[in-house]
Amino acid sequence: MTEIVKDINETGNNRLVIKELCVQFGSFVAVDHVNLMVEDGETRVIIGPNGAGKTTLLDLITGKTKATGGTVEFRGHSLIGRDTSHICRSCHVGRKFQGPNVFNELTVIENMRLALMGNDNFLGYLFRRQSREEAEKIHRCLDAVNLLDYENVKAVSLSHGQKQWLEIGMVILQDARLVVLDEPTAGMTAEETFKTGEMIKKNLADKTVLVIEHDMDFVRQIAQKVTVLHMGKVLAEGTFDEVENDPKVIQVYLKQDDGERGGVEECLN
Ligand SMILES: Nc1ncnc2c1ncn2[C@@H]1O[C@H](COP(=O)(O)OP(=O)(O)OP(=O)(O)O)[C@@H](O)[C@H]1O
Ligand SMILES: [Mg+2]
């Protein structure tokens, strides 16, 4: 175990490489021979209709679901077969799940402290004194997600958007090198969504980032490249403009009945 941690810390490139990744639930193939390479420092957005396999793909990367085939490597090391906490701590992978996942009865700052300790370390959280460096780091991260004025507010009292920001703050705090965010703007207003995009661009600029999204303005705002998943397979990949104008994407997503081309988002939401 120590050996692996050492290796992962010392190898250089924060590149995520996925080859022929598959998962089958009974006879249903949810992720079907997916190949994906996200470069060091790149922000990649994955789009696709409901049920396309987007969340399942993140589950496979983060060890929540075991692959039935294929490989996932980050920084040159396999993530396959490792448990979620190992992938998070030793492989430097941070994840924000679909929908807010914060402790409602804890305050904003308590949620952040807990994130810093590792969410399963309640005893450490209760008994360990926080260093000045840790307090300053939490302060910086709360500032980054516009929650500095809310540090003593219970999470339950935050708006839906603010809960999402708190969770993004918790991910930023963990110093992950690969950050995966599942629908970070779901339920947000257009203004909150835009702010979230700027937040990601500013605070995760040096990370390798994989984001699942449905809001195409947001996708345009943050994505260096876009991958379209459809029925568990990669349907298209390229820049935002390339994907939006790809005939395969148009054929699959755009409404055909009125003969007019709407936005991709019309068909994804
Ligand atoms: N553990 C499981 N057992 C059986 N089927 C599953 C399991 N996990 C996911 N699925 C199925 O796999 C398919 C893909 O689900 P997934 O949650 O990855 O979709 P998604 O692209 O994230 O959709 P959405 O945009 O709605 O979040 C769905 O049909 C889902 O029901
Ligand atoms: Mg999903």
Side-chain angles (χ1 to χ4, degrees):
M1 179 79 78
T2 322
E3 199 63 16
I4 291 162
V5 174
K6 186 165 168 267
D7 279 347
I8 285 180
N9 280 325
E10 287 177 2
T11 46
N13 195 304
N14 296 317
R15 181 193 286 157
L16 175 71
V17 183
I18 295 174
K19 290 185 185 158
E20 298 296 320
L21 192 62
C22 297
V23 74
Q24 198 162 337
F25 301 114
S27 60
F28 177 69
V29 184
V31 170
D32 194 358
H33 296 90
V34 164
N35 292 293
L36 187 73
M37 191 193 293
V38 188
E39 291 295 346
D40 191 344
E42 179 186 338
T43 296
R44 174 72 57 94
V45 182
I46 299 182
I47 63 171
N50 299 120
K54 305 180 297 297
T55 297
T56 308
L57 179 62
L58 298 195
D59 289 345
L60 293 168
I61 295 168
T62 55
K64 189 164 175 257
T65 297
K66 303 294 168 210
T68 47
T71 59
V72 178
E73 287 187 359
F74 181 56
R75 293 174 68 78
H77 295 268
S78 175
L79 304 187
I80 292 289
R82 308 204 182 283
D83 63 42
T84 328
S85 64
H86 180 83
I87 289 174
C88 173
R89 300 227 185 110
S90 305
C91 305
H92 310 284
V93 177
R95 175 172 187 177
K96 185 203 170 308
F97 285 88
Q98 192 164 356
N101 274 278
V102 296
F103 291 98
N104 271 326
E105 289 309 313
L106 297 183
T107 64
V108 165
I109 201 155
E110 286 167 343
N111 268 284
M112 293 292 273
R113 282 185 192 139
L114 199 52
L116 199 57
M117 310 274 318
N119 279 358
D120 49 357
N121 193 356
F122 274 102
L123 280 180
Y125 165 74
L126 288 174
F127 294 114
R128 191 169 149 273
R129 261 183 76 85
Q130 197 178 33
S131 70
R132 210 173 103 198
E133 289 74 33
E134 286 170 341
E136 284 171 359
K137 194 172 176 192
I138 289 176
H139 186 90
R140 278 197 305 278
C141 291
L142 284 178
D143 193 21
V145 295
N146 303 331
L147 288 176
L148 217 42
D149 294 339
Y150 295 82
E151 60 179 23
N152 294 315
V153 171
K154 275 192 178 181
V156 69
S157 306
L158 299 177
S159 71
H160 182 83
Q162 287 173 319
K163 282 187 193 174
Q164 303 266 58
W165 286 349
L166 173 55
E167 213 188 340
I168 293 171
M170 287 155 71
V171 173
I172 295 172
L173 191 64
Q174 288 165 358
D175 286 332
R177 292 173 184 163
L178 170 65
V179 174
V180 297
L181 306 171
D182 197 347
E183 301 196 22
T185 73
M188 286 187 181
T189 63
E191 192 190 346
E192 286 173 331
T193 299
F194 178 76
K195 282 184 181 170
T196 307
E198 295 307 293
M199 209 178 266
I200 289 171
K201 286 202 292 188
K202 186 171 168 200
N203 295 289
L204 300 178
D206 59 339
K207 315 283 186 197
T208 304
V209 183
L210 195 54
V211 184
I212 293 175
E213 252 305 324
H214 286 292
D215 183 314
M216 294 305 281
D217 288 334
F218 179 76
V219 177
R220 185 190 280 111
Q221 186 187 356
I222 68 163
Q224 273 137 30
K225 274 172 95 175
V226 179
T227 298
V228 187
L229 267 195
H230 177 56
M231 297 173 77
K233 290 186 164 73
V234 174
L235 179 78
E237 189 171 287
T239 62
F240 181 89
D241 289 341
E242 283 165 353
V243 162
E244 197 189 34
N245 293 302
D246 185 318
K248 293 192 297 296
V249 179
I250 294 168
Q251 190 187 352
V252 168
Y253 295 129
L254 297 192
K255 288 178 182 165
Q256 305 292 315
D257 51 357
D258 59 7
E260 279 188 10
R261 187 183 155 186
V264 174
E265 67 269 38
E266 278 183 49
C267 306
L268 297 179
N269 287 321

